Amino acid sequence: MKKIFVLFLLIFFKAGAQTSALSVADSLYALGNYASAINEYAKAGDKKASLQIARAYNVIGNYDKSVAQYTSILESNPKFDLARFELGKLLLKTKSFGPALDEFNVLTASKQENPEYYYYLGRTYESVKNADKANKAFKAAVAMDSTHLRSLYALGKYYVGQEIKDSALVYIDKGLRFYKDDVAMINLKALAFYNNGQFQLAIPHFERLLELGETKPFVFEKLAFCYFRNWEPERALDTYHKLSMFPDKLAVAYAGLGQVYFEEKELDSAQYYIEKSIEERMALFPQEYASLGRIARLKGQTKKSMDYYERAWEENKDDYRNYYQVCILADEYYKDPKTRLNYYAKLLKMYPDIVPFLKERVKKRISEIKEEIHFASN
């Protein structure tokens, strides 16, 4: 009887010591004193304490020790799903994608109705560029929980990126039915229409983003372009001016303003802003030079237009269309037929594979100029 009583006391005091160690460790952990908390958890030595040690190593960024601790826990407790789930997320965070897939596949194979397991499985497949398996996992998460916003977003984002608007909207609209002011979903919906060229339908969603405080440059940029393509020049101009408030978007804003003014036949303003956009750019700008070429031509400035198109062509010699414009303008500007002939001949020599209809047009013009030269010499 005495031995039993002593044994009872030993068990009681050991349990009390463990409880005391855990209590101290928990307090240290809550205060962010993770190193000291790890030492106290080690004194307790039970499953909960081991899990907290793994978490503490994770928090302080000692991922190798955290992974080792989680692995040790699972060796002793293979059905400890919480530890396996946390280990899977840590492996995903540290880009150990193969081991992460192993852990999440074990969790999803357990037949538990937990959409989070499938969501993180999908995230991991995304990371290894396996879109089919990623989408299958996200769809499984949505099947378990139709309001699982992160999986709905992942699916919507994928289909927006693939420019498959109808499929994207299926998942985006499901998310918005439950979270109508979710800015990420609203942005996806705006982009689904934008990428599909449905600018009028995109406008209210970009406007809604601004109403919700998403005053970011890309929202102003895309909204301005939508207004422009929807024949709303005043709103386009106003929005491009707002975009110009962002220093790193000045070139884009000025180019947009130039485009709107050009379409409105306000050529001086168009020229001003396109030139400003060129000043702001630190890269190549063949399109801007081509735009200035069009403006100069409309203003009757043939030589200036030719110079701009030639600069556009020099910036990007893969695009034969700008040099074709140089040929046409040279044909108008130079009186000497041999000079004009040389431009067209150079075009065919540099670009023997230009589109057939253009090649025929150039060949015809070459024949006409040669005939002109022939008659002039007789």
Side-chain angles (χ1 to χ4, degrees):
M1 185 71 179
K2 185 178 180 181
K3 288 182 178 179
I4 294 172
F5 180 71
V6 171
L7 181 62
F8 172 78
L9 286 177
L10 286 172
I11 293 169
F12 176 79
F13 284 119
K14 184 179 180 181
Q18 284 182 322
T19 301
S20 175
L22 278 173
S23 178
V24 171
D26 286 342
S27 296
L28 291 167
Y29 187 96
L31 291 169
N33 191 347
Y34 300 111
S36 297
I38 288 169
N39 292 332
E40 292 299 321
Y41 283 128
K43 293 176 185 178
D46 62 4
K47 187 169 75 170
K48 179 189 173 184
S50 297
L51 181 63
Q52 288 298 101
I53 290 172
R55 288 171 171 171
Y57 279 131
N58 189 357
V59 172
I60 63 179
N62 195 332
Y63 300 133
D64 288 342
K65 282 194 174 182
S66 183
V67 169
Q69 183 71 14
Y70 278 120
T71 303
S72 176
I73 294 169
L74 289 168
E75 286 172 355
S76 304
N77 305 275
K79 294 188 181 297
F80 193 1
D81 289 344
L82 178 58
R84 191 177 300 280
F85 184 42
E86 291 181 7
L87 173 59
K89 289 192 287 185
L90 175 57
L91 291 167
L92 174 59
K93 181 169 73 174
T94 56
K95 299 184 179 181
S96 299
F97 301 126
L101 282 173
D102 292 340
E103 302 303 335
F104 292 127
N105 275 314
V106 170
L107 290 167
T108 54
S110 67
K111 306 299 182 184
Q112 296 184 51
E113 294 290 304
N114 189 338
E116 287 290 290
Y117 294 166
Y118 287 90
Y119 169 71
Y120 279 100
L121 177 63
R123 285 274 311 281
T124 311
Y125 275 126
E126 267 188 340
S127 300
V128 296
K129 311 301 181 187
N130 192 329
D132 289 340
K133 287 189 176 181
N135 290 338
K136 183 178 179 182
F138 292 137
K139 288 175 182 177
V142 172
M144 292 176 188
D145 178 5
S146 62
T147 69
H148 199 269
L149 189 63
R150 286 176 297 167
S151 294
L152 291 169
Y153 177 80
L155 289 163
K157 182 181 178 182
Y158 171 78
Y159 287 116
V160 167
Q162 295 297 309
E163 297 188 5
I164 306 174
K165 183 203 69 175
D166 292 342
S167 295
L169 291 178
V170 168
Y171 297 103
I172 294 168
D173 286 339
K174 279 185 180 180
L176 289 173
R177 276 198 291 273
F178 294 99
Y179 310 94
K180 66 183 180 70
D181 289 336
D182 185 87
V183 294
M185 282 294 192
I186 295 169
N187 179 52
L188 280 184
K189 189 161 187 175
L191 289 175
F193 288 122
Y194 183 92
N195 292 346
N196 201 48
Q198 294 175 285
F199 303 111
Q200 185 177 14
L201 294 176
I203 286 171
H205 304 294
F206 284 125
E207 289 176 336
R208 182 60 181 150
L209 288 174
L210 295 178
E211 289 172 6
L212 292 170
E214 287 295 297
T215 53
K216 295 178 180 177
F218 81 91
V219 179
F220 287 110
E221 182 179 348
K222 286 181 166 46
L223 179 57
F225 187 74
C226 287
Y227 285 143
F228 170 63
R229 292 298 300 273
N230 199 45
W231 309 110
E232 298 181 68
E234 293 303 320
R235 298 177 83 179
L237 292 171
D238 179 63
T239 309
Y240 275 126
H241 278 298
K242 289 176 180 175
L243 179 63
S244 71
M245 296 297 104
F246 298 90
D248 60 336
K249 286 292 183 178
L250 272 173
V252 176
Y254 289 152
L257 288 164
Q259 192 175 27
V260 177
Y261 280 121
F262 178 76
E263 291 297 324
E264 291 298 296
K265 303 294 187 293
E266 297 185 39
L267 301 182
D268 289 338
S269 294
Q271 181 176 342
Y272 171 79
Y273 281 109
I274 292 171
E275 287 175 344
K276 291 279 286 183
S277 77
I278 289 175
E279 291 173 13
E280 291 295 330
R281 286 182 187 271
M282 302 298 290
L284 303 179
F285 25 72
Q287 188 56 51
E288 282 76 5
Y289 281 132
S291 295
L292 287 171
R294 287 196 298 274
I295 291 169
R297 191 173 187 187
L298 288 169
K299 295 170 83 170
Q301 300 168 335
T302 306
K303 182 62 169 65
K304 192 173 183 179
S305 177
M306 184 170 64
D307 290 342
Y308 277 131
Y309 274 114
E310 194 152 12
R311 290 173 75 177
W313 168 71
E314 286 171 354
E315 294 285 3
N316 180 15
K317 292 188 177 181
D318 291 332
D319 189 347
Y320 60 82
R321 292 170 298 181
N322 286 325
Y323 194 77
Y324 175 64
Q325 293 298 325
V326 172
C327 293
I328 292 173
L329 289 159
D331 203 355
E332 293 178 8
Y333 182 74
Y334 292 110
K335 294 181 179 180
D336 177 26
K338 290 182 180 179
T339 302
R340 291 183 273 130
L341 179 64
N342 286 338
Y343 277 95
Y344 286 115
K346 185 178 177 181
L347 174 65
L348 290 183
K349 184 178 179 180
M350 290 191 299
Y351 305 104
D353 298 322
I354 62 174
V355 292
F357 82 90
L358 204 57
K359 181 181 281 190
E360 289 304 312
R361 188 179 297 173
V362 172
K363 284 182 175 179
K364 182 180 179 183
R365 185 61 188 140
I366 287 173
S367 296
E368 291 171 350
I369 296 173
K370 283 181 176 179
E371 189 174 336
E372 181 183 340
I373 293 170
H374 173 72
F375 282 115
S377 64
N378 290 334

